């Protein structure tokens, strides 16, 4: 979808989409291999000692319009405490804008904590203006404004030869990014995005409390005007035992990104490839598929491959969607990835939460964290 200039004017901040997600990693070299081989990203650009940066390395990966930057410190510095506190985790949800200066000044005026003053970064491929503010936990948003840059990721990154090791699986763009915040902090962070960022409550039938016998969470989603940036925010709620959000908060040592949801337009093919390439997904009880069509109504797909691959289906008033969740992508039970294919539905899959919780609780029990 092309965003028209007129639409952007109605937005409080001129934000277009998520530009990239930066993860801090203990060993970006090996993580890059995992995201290339298992998730199908291509290694497109690099930054490190060879390009004149002394204190860290960054691998820029891309598939469709999904961009991940994996960064590892080379010295004990500002990144190291983040890593020991959180483990491998999302540091930056960078947002594409027409005016980084305006986004920075406006959000800081309204109460956002400044992290990096507006600054033009440049190399032979052109200029980009960047500025950064803080959000929940140690997560930040960098505003990215292209001035005349036509390089591979951002100024400072050097393009690398075409990646012949990547095994693309058809990932297109980021659909939504979910944050887990602490007990009773959800409303405050929803207010942060509505009051400071000018986002709207993204009202879906996912709202309200979601619980199983053991786990409970509260979730509210916000989005920017063009709906290309969607951030559901979760907080733990009291259940009989420890919920998955609480487990996250404990192992992450505080709030952070719980999952990044990426859209494909052929989920059966995408997931078959990802499984073949070693990505682990949550197991769904076989019984989930027995009465699936009674729950969601007619769908285009055959049930058999969905059952084989453990793909979930949910419907809202606008249509349906298919989704699946990986197991955590690191040893701590923190960040995971969702793959989603939308067929009209705009919500996030509340109908599946119960089946998912049962699966997640089984994993928590195996970890001794229930
Ligand atoms: Fe999601």
């Amino acid at each position: 979808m092309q965003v028209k200039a007129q639409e952007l004017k109605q937005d409080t901040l001129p934000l277009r989409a998520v530009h990239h997600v930066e993860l801090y990693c203990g060993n970006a070299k090996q993580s890059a291999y995992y995201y290339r081989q298992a998730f199908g990203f291509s290694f497109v650009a690099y930054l490190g000692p060879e390009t004149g940066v002394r204190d860290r390395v960054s691998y820029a990966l891309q598939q469709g319009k999904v961009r991940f930057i994996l960064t590892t410190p080379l010295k004990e510095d500002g990144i190291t405490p983040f890593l020991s506190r959180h483990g491998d985790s999302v540091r930056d949800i960078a947002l594409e804008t027409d005016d980084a200066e305006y986004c920075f000044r406006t959000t800081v005026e309204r109460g956002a904590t400044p992290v990096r003053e507006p600054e033009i970064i440049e190399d032979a491929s052109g200029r980009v203006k960047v500025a950064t503010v803080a959000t929940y936990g140690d997560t930040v948003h960098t505003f990215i404004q292209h001035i005349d840059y036509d390089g591979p990721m951002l100024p400072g990154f050097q393009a690398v030869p075409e990646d012949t090791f990547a095994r693309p699986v058809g990932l297109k763009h980021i659909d939504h990014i979910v944050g887990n915040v602490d007990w009773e902090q959800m409303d405050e962070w929803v207010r942060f995005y509505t009051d400071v960022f000018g986002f709207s409550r993204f009202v879906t039938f996912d709202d309200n409390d979601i619980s199983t016998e053991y786990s409970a969470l509260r979730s509210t989603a916000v989005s920017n005007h063009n709906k290309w940036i969607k951030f559901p925010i979760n907080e733990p709620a009291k259940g009989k035992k420890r919920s998955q959000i609480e487990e996250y908060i404990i192992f992450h040592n505080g709030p952070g990104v719980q999952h990044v949801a990426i859209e494909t337009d052929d989920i059966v093919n995408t997931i078959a490839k990802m499984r073949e390439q070693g990505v682990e997904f949550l197991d769904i009880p076989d019984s989930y598929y027995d009465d699936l069509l009674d729950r969601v109504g007619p769908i285009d797909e055959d049930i058999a491959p969905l059952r084989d691959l453990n793909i979930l289906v949910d419907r809202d008033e606008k249509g349906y969607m298919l989704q699946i969740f990986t197991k955590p992508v690191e040893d701590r039970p923190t960040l995971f990835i969702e793959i989603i294919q939308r067929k009209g539905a705009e919500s996030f899959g509340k109908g599946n939460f119960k089946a998912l919780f049962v699966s997640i609780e089984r994993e928590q029990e195996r970890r001794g964290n229930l």
Side-chain angles (χ1 to χ4, degrees):
M1 185 182 90
Q2 277 291 318
V3 181
K4 296 185 201 84
Q6 209 176 3
E7 279 180 56
L8 281 173
K9 273 188 203 138
Q10 295 164 12
D11 205 342
T12 319
L13 295 180
L15 296 171
R16 288 178 175 275
V18 174
H19 180 273
H20 69 264
V21 172
E22 181 173 25
L23 294 109
Y24 282 172
C25 308
N27 187 343
K29 184 175 198 160
Q30 292 189 2
S31 293
Y33 185 78
Y34 173 68
Y35 283 106
R36 290 159 72 201
Q37 293 282 303
F39 286 80
F41 283 84
S42 291
F43 176 30
V44 295
Y46 173 85
L47 169 161
E50 299 84 349
T51 69
V53 176
R54 309 305 304 173
D55 60 345
R56 71 204 138 99
V57 294
S58 289
Y59 292 74
L61 309 181
Q62 184 159 0
Q63 186 171 185
K65 288 185 174 158
V66 189
R67 300 182 195 92
F68 280 5
I69 296 178
L70 310 177
T71 297
T72 290
L74 295 175
K75 300 176 175 163
E76 190 152 22
D77 74 347
I79 299 178
T80 319
F82 178 103
L83 280 173
S84 62
R85 203 154 50 235
H86 306 301
D88 289 17
S89 182
V90 171
R91 164 63 173 171
D92 194 351
I93 304 168
L95 305 171
E96 212 177 300
T97 178
D98 294 334
D99 193 340
E101 179 95 31
Y102 178 81
C103 290
F104 179 84
R105 300 276 168 236
T106 306
T107 52
V108 168
E109 223 166 75
R110 296 176 186 161
T113 306
V115 174
R116 182 184 190 180
E117 291 281 326
E119 179 187 348
I120 289 174
I121 51 174
E122 64 185 308
D123 66 11
S125 299
R127 293 168 299 163
V128 170
K129 192 180 260 189
V130 296
T132 307
V133 298
T135 178
Y136 47 77
D138 287 326
T139 320
V140 300
H141 289 304
T142 295
F143 302 114
I144 308 260
Q145 177 194 348
H146 280 233
I147 301 170
D148 53 9
Y149 180 72
D150 64 355
M153 180 60 63
L154 285 172
F157 278 87
Q158 207 167 76
V160 297
E162 194 189 338
D163 188 349
T164 53
F165 287 100
R167 297 192 280 189
V169 299
L171 302 183
K172 302 283 184 205
H173 57 81
I174 290 176
D175 183 88
H176 60 275
I177 298 181
V178 179
N180 279 345
V181 300
D182 222 324
W183 294 91
E184 279 156 31
Q185 295 295 302
M186 181 189 76
D187 292 334
E188 189 181 312
W189 286 107
V190 167
R191 259 199 312 277
F192 173 79
Y193 282 107
T194 56
D195 297 358
V196 176
F197 272 66
F199 283 15
S200 306
R201 286 281 299 269
F202 190 77
V203 182
T204 75
F205 83 141
D206 305 89
D207 281 3
N208 303 318
D209 303 0
I210 298 154
S211 64
T212 64
E213 190 188 348
Y214 292 139
S215 276
L217 68 82
R218 293 181 66 225
S219 187
T220 300
V222 292
S223 76
N224 73 322
H225 177 73
N226 69 13
K227 292 189 181 175
W228 274 88
I229 305 171
K230 286 174 282 190
F231 294 154
I233 310 278
N234 295 333
E235 70 178 13
K238 283 260 177 276
K240 267 192 197 163
K241 294 195 178 177
R242 186 186 288 167
S243 81
Q244 49 157 315
I245 312 300
E246 196 179 350
E247 186 195 35
Y248 177 102
I249 297 289
I250 291 167
F251 281 87
H252 193 265
N253 285 309
V257 170
Q258 179 206 38
H259 72 268
V260 178
I262 306 174
E263 191 160 42
T264 169
D265 50 24
D266 185 355
I267 197 166
V268 169
N269 235 313
T270 294
I271 301 308
K273 276 193 193 151
M274 288 174 78
R275 283 192 178 276
E276 209 178 274
Q277 292 171 189
V279 178
E280 297 174 305
F281 294 95
L282 289 178
D283 301 318
I284 301 304
D286 222 36
S287 57
Y288 172 89
Y289 296 92
D290 294 343
D291 53 354
L292 178 63
L293 293 183
D294 298 337
R295 288 201 308 274
V296 302
I299 57 173
D300 302 335
E301 294 73 15
D302 293 331
I303 298 291
L306 302 182
R307 184 195 293 259
D308 286 350
L309 296 167
N310 278 202
I311 294 167
L312 305 165
V313 188
D314 198 17
R315 186 180 285 278
D316 64 20
E317 62 281 2
K318 301 240 171 85
Y320 73 97
M321 55 99 129
L322 306 108
Q323 64 182 167
I324 188 167
F325 299 86
T326 71
K327 290 184 180 176
V329 290
E330 59 285 292
D331 293 303
R332 297 193 199 198
T334 52
L335 176 72
F336 60 87
I337 306 289
E338 171 184 350
I339 307 297
I340 182 167
Q341 180 178 5
R342 293 194 179 276
K343 293 203 159 178
E346 290 187 349
S347 47
F348 302 99
K350 184 191 180 183
N352 288 322
F353 280 23
K354 193 154 184 186
L356 276 169
F357 275 21
V358 172
S359 176
I360 291 170
E361 282 162 13
R362 225 173 14 231
E363 298 281 324
Q364 275 181 262
E365 192 156 28
R366 291 177 55 217
R367 294 191 283 260
N369 292 335
L370 193 59

